[in-house]
């Protein structure tokens, strides 16, 4: 069942999205060669709690961190660890909050120092494909319109779309209906209605689309070992144009 949100609920989801947006920027401010993903996780947890919210991922189905920290060939769901980031890495930081009974959920993939040109292209393409998807998140369209937009943009640049993981509705649960795949066909899938709140989150590989699950049962790796990028925003389906709850302005203000 798809729960349409009231404006009161959307207001709370907007607050959550703002907190996640600010947390991602706080983490981004500390990303540099030598810092561990575990240290960054601690920074995020402290920051989230300082705003009166609770980390949304910590303990979720047993997940051990506040952030999913997915480095290079890890697509998503990496554990924060003693791994020290190094120049040329990319790290997907996926962050969740719980505040007033609702979830926030967004992600951004950061370069660590200078990255290879093709990796920079992967980041730019994944980030832009998210915007292409968001442009389709309007009432009357279908989830397939979002997926098709993401897929055609990324494949047009020679990148591939992970199939095993998808975007989702969000509300009092982190993962609600509908599923929002990053691939698909225009005119297919679930019809979008005003008041649906969804997370669109392209997971795009530099090489082939195949992935495998780490023996820890969480981290998803690219099968060919090539890098993968991940960007995620929470949006409200509206008539004419989606309302985007997540903002990257705090991140990009400090890095550009
Ligand atoms: Mg997420
Ligand atoms: Mg998500």
């Amino acid at each position: 069942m798809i729960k349409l949100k009231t404006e009161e609920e959307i207001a709370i989801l907007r607050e959550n999205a703002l907190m996640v947006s600010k947390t991602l920027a706080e983490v981004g401010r500390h990303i540099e060669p030598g810092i561990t993903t575990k240290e960054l996780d601690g920074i995020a947890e402290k920051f989230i709690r300082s705003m009166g919210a609770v980390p949304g991922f910590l303990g979720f189905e047993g997940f051990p961190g506040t952030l999913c920290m997915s480095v290079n060939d890890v697509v998503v769901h990496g554990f924060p660890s003693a791994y020290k980031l190094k120049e040329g890495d990319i790290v997907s930081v996926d962050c969740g909050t719980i505040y007033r009974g609702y979830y926030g959920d967004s992600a951004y993939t950061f370069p660590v120092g200078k990255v290879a040109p093709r990796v920079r292209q992967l980041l730019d393409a994944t980030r832009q494909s998210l915007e292409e998807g968001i442009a389709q998140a309007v009432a009357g369209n279908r989830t397939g319109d979002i997926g098709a937009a993401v897929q055609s943009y990324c494949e047009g640049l020679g990148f591939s779309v992970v199939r095993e993981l998808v975007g989702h509705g969000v509300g009092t649960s982190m993962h609600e209906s509908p599923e929002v795949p990053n691939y698909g066909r225009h005119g297919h899938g679930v019809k979008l209605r005003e008041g649906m709140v969804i997370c669109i989150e392209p997971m795009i590989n530099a090489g082939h689309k195949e992935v495998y699950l780490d023996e820890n049962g969480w981290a998803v790796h690219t099968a060919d070992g090539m890098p993968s990028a991940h960007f995620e925003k929470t949006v409200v389906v509206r008539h004419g144009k989606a309302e985007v709850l997540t903002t990257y302005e705090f991140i990009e203000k400090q890095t550009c």
Side-chain angles (χ1 to χ4, degrees):
M1 198 194 71
I2 297 173
K3 297 179 200 154
L4 300 179
K5 271 63 178 189
T6 64
E7 291 304 323
E8 290 72 22
E9 291 180 290
I10 290 169
I12 301 172
L13 286 160
R14 193 181 288 116
E15 289 184 88
N16 271 280
L18 186 61
M19 288 179 182
V20 174
S21 299
K22 288 178 176 172
T23 307
L24 289 174
E26 179 67 11
V27 172
R29 206 162 67 78
H30 289 88
I31 289 180
E32 58 179 5
I35 195 162
T36 69
T37 55
K38 184 91 186 161
E39 287 173 296
L40 293 166
D41 192 71
I43 289 166
E45 179 175 0
K46 203 170 146 202
F47 191 78
I48 288 168
R49 294 194 192 279
S50 78
M51 294 184 288
V54 172
F57 298 169
L58 189 61
F60 181 84
E61 294 176 7
F63 189 80
T66 289
L67 303 173
C68 295
M69 300 293 276
S70 306
V71 180
N72 297 337
D73 68 304
V74 180
V75 180
V76 287
H77 303 164
F79 289 172
S81 74
Y83 177 79
K84 284 190 169 78
L85 293 174
K86 60 180 198 303
E87 178 96 12
D89 283 347
I90 56 172
V91 55
S92 154
V93 180
D94 196 347
C95 179
T97 53
I98 307 170
Y99 180 67
R100 295 178 62 192
Y102 288 77
Y103 277 86
D105 182 16
S106 297
Y108 192 95
T109 302
F110 295 87
V112 182
K114 197 166 163 44
V115 299
R118 186 63 175 160
V119 175
R120 182 69 252 176
Q121 284 170 6
L122 174 70
L123 297 181
D124 293 342
T126 308
R127 184 173 175 344
Q128 182 57 34
S129 75
L130 171 57
E131 303 303 328
E132 303 291 323
I134 290 170
Q136 297 295 321
V138 294
N141 273 4
R142 291 180 180 268
T143 52
D145 294 309
I146 297 173
V150 171
Q151 181 179 12
S152 65
Y153 186 82
C154 292
E155 290 183 353
L157 294 166
F159 299 120
S160 65
V161 177
V162 173
R163 303 297 203 273
E164 287 80 355
L165 299 135
V166 296
H168 51 89
V170 65
T172 54
S173 299
M174 183 153 59
H175 297 134
E176 297 186 355
S177 292
E179 290 195 341
V180 184
N182 299 301
Y183 58 93
R185 290 163 62 197
H186 283 292
H188 287 70
V190 174
K191 194 161 203 171
L192 301 172
R193 295 175 61 193
E194 167 101 20
M196 285 172 58
V197 181
I198 56 175
C199 293
I200 304 176
E201 50 178 316
M203 288 155 263
I204 306 299
N205 294 349
H208 297 116
K209 68 180 188 301
E210 285 74 25
V211 296
Y212 71 92
L213 187 63
D214 193 282
E215 59 191 21
N216 71 17
W218 279 95
V220 175
H221 298 255
T222 60
D224 60 13
M226 290 182 69
S228 183
H230 175 217
F231 288 80
E232 176 179 22
K233 286 184 175 179
T234 303
V235 309
V236 186
V237 174
R238 300 286 195 190
H239 289 290
K241 193 171 190 290
E243 179 188 349
V244 184
L245 300 186
T246 305
T247 175
Y248 292 153
E249 70 173 310
F250 303 113
I251 296 172
E252 295 181 344
K253 214 160 48 187
Q254 67 199 10
T255 52
C256 296

